[in-house]
């Protein structure tokens, strides 16, 4: 009976995890289709102002209602999600490339180089991400690329640490010792044996970084330091809706917030499933 109960509990958790992964994949697919298909098909200007439709509640004509100058909120949320997702993806890729290069170089070279690089990483990590991001963005005019640079330069540290730890683990493997004994150079060992071994971990770090980068961009835009106020982004939409929320109009704040929360949770769910596949031991422990 105990064994039967253990199996049923494990199957129940497995089915729950499967449902969570399927739901996350469906949400991510819907988000990608929305940001790719809706703007070309819906030939409406998301900047068009119609003061006669100011702050209309959700209806059949405007499913998400309108904002404080009469713009359709559903279309604004889709455009804002497209911008936030673009910033998150590009910043995550740049940060992952930088972190992978730094972490792999530090672990492969070792010695004083490794210690120096990691002390630099610790120094950057001691500064709060948002504070450092504000400092970087403040040096440029508001726009997409300053935000991408800011997010990328403040999020490569964790990837560098993960890659360094993985490379140090791989260096202790027998096949690396065999390659070195066979006369392979340090560069060849790093490129042929170490980097391929850390790519799955680096890819997982990049996926996990996308939601974090989207929230970072939204925080900068909410503070007025990210994208220009006229450009639709989820942070800008929430920032401009503060006055409406105090007046009792809930929809200009609710729907942009949902467009930010739901996709990031879906991406995090897919990343968690990927992490479990990379670490079967952790997955088996969760099944107990």
């Amino acid at each position: 009976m105990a064994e039967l109960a253990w199996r049923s509990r494990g199957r129940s958790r497995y089915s729950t995890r499967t449902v969570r992964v399927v739901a996350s994949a469906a949400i991510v697919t819907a988000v990608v289709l929305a940001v790719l298909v809706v703007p070309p098909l819906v030939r409406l200007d998301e900047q068009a102002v119609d003061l006669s439709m100011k702050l209309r509640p959700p209806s059949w004509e405007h499913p998400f209602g309108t904002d404080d100058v009469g713009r359709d909120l559903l279309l604004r949320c889709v455009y804002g999600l497209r911008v936030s997702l673009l910033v998150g993806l590009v910043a995550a890729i740049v940060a992952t490339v930088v972190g992978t290069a730094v972490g792999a170089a530090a672990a492969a070279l070792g010695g004083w180089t490794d210690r120096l690089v990691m002390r630099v990483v610790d120094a950057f990590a001691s500064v709060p991400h948002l504070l450092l991001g504000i400092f970087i963005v403040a040096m440029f005019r508001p726009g997409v690329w300053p935000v991408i640079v800011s997010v990328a330069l403040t999020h490569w540290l964790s990837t560098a640490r993960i890659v360094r730890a993985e490379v140090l683990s791989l260096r202790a493997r027998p096949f690396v010792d065999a390659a070195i004994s066979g006369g392979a150079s340090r560069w060849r060992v790093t490129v042929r044996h170490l980097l391929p071994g850390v790519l799955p971990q680096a890819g997982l770090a990049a996926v996990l970084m996308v939601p974090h980068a989207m929230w970072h961009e939204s925080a900068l835009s909410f503070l007025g330091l990210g994208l220009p106020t006229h450009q639709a982004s989820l942070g800008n939409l929430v920032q401009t809706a503060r006055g409406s929320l105090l007046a009792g109009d809930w929809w200009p704040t609710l729907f942009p917030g949902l467009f930010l929360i739901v996709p990031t949770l879906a991406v995090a769910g897919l990343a968690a499933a990927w992490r479990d596949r990379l670490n079967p031991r952790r997955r088996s422990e969760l099944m107990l």
Side-chain angles (χ1 to χ4, degrees):
M1 293 296 293
E3 182 180 358
L4 181 61
W6 181 85
R7 289 181 178 178
S8 63
R9 184 169 63 250
R11 291 175 181 175
S12 176
R13 292 184 180 182
Y14 178 78
S15 62
T16 302
R17 186 170 63 250
T18 302
V19 171
R20 185 169 62 248
V21 171
V22 172
S24 299
I27 293 173
V28 171
T29 302
V31 167
V32 173
L33 290 177
V35 299
L36 292 179
V37 174
V38 171
L41 292 182
V42 181
R43 298 189 177 279
L44 296 176
D45 185 8
E46 52 96 14
Q47 299 284 2
V49 174
D50 185 3
L51 295 179
S52 63
M53 299 294 293
K54 176 181 177 181
L55 289 176
R56 294 293 178 90
S59 61
W60 287 109
E61 184 180 2
H62 301 285
F64 285 5
T66 60
D67 62 4
D68 56 347
V69 292
R71 295 172 295 194
D72 183 77
L73 197 57
L74 174 58
L75 192 61
R76 295 275 293 173
C77 285
V78 172
Y79 274 88
L81 179 60
R82 183 172 68 168
V83 173
S84 298
L85 191 60
L86 171 66
V87 172
L89 286 173
V90 177
I93 292 173
V94 174
T96 301
V97 171
V98 174
T100 301
V102 172
L109 295 175
W112 66 268
T113 303
D114 183 23
R115 293 191 294 270
L116 176 62
V117 171
M118 296 316 297
R119 295 298 77 77
V120 173
V121 170
D122 292 339
F124 274 98
S126 64
V127 182
H129 286 176
L130 185 58
L131 182 61
L132 185 58
I134 291 174
F135 175 76
I136 296 174
V137 169
M139 296 188 298
F140 304 94
R141 291 184 177 180
V144 174
W145 289 109
V147 176
I148 291 176
V149 171
S150 170
V151 176
L153 292 182
T154 56
H155 288 73
W156 61 272
L157 307 172
S158 58
T159 304
R161 288 173 170 170
I162 293 172
V163 170
R164 174 182 176 271
E166 192 69 19
V167 170
L168 290 176
S169 175
L170 291 173
R171 284 180 57 183
R173 303 290 178 85
F175 67 88
V176 175
D177 294 335
I180 295 175
S181 301
S185 64
R186 183 174 295 180
W187 171 258
R188 181 177 178 84
V189 170
T190 302
V191 174
R192 293 293 299 273
H193 300 288
L194 299 182
L195 282 180
V198 303
L199 286 182
Q201 296 289 345
L204 175 60
V207 174
L208 287 170
M209 203 180 302
V210 171
H212 196 88
M214 292 177 63
W215 280 92
H216 199 91
E217 177 275 325
S218 298
L220 290 174
S221 297
F222 182 81
L223 294 174
L225 299 171
L227 302 179
T229 55
H230 68 275
Q231 187 171 4
S233 75
L234 297 179
N236 279 340
L237 293 178
V238 175
Q239 195 273 339
T240 55
R242 289 184 301 171
S244 302
L245 181 63
L246 294 176
D249 301 322
W250 49 269
W251 57 92
T253 304
L254 174 64
F255 292 114
L258 291 177
F259 265 64
L260 178 62
I261 294 172
V262 174
T264 54
L265 290 178
V267 174
L270 292 179
W274 187 0
R275 181 184 57 201
D276 291 342
R277 291 184 63 87
L278 289 178
N279 193 350
R281 179 180 179 181
R282 180 182 182 275
R283 180 176 58 185
S284 63
E285 291 174 350
L286 291 176
M287 293 290 291
L288 294 176

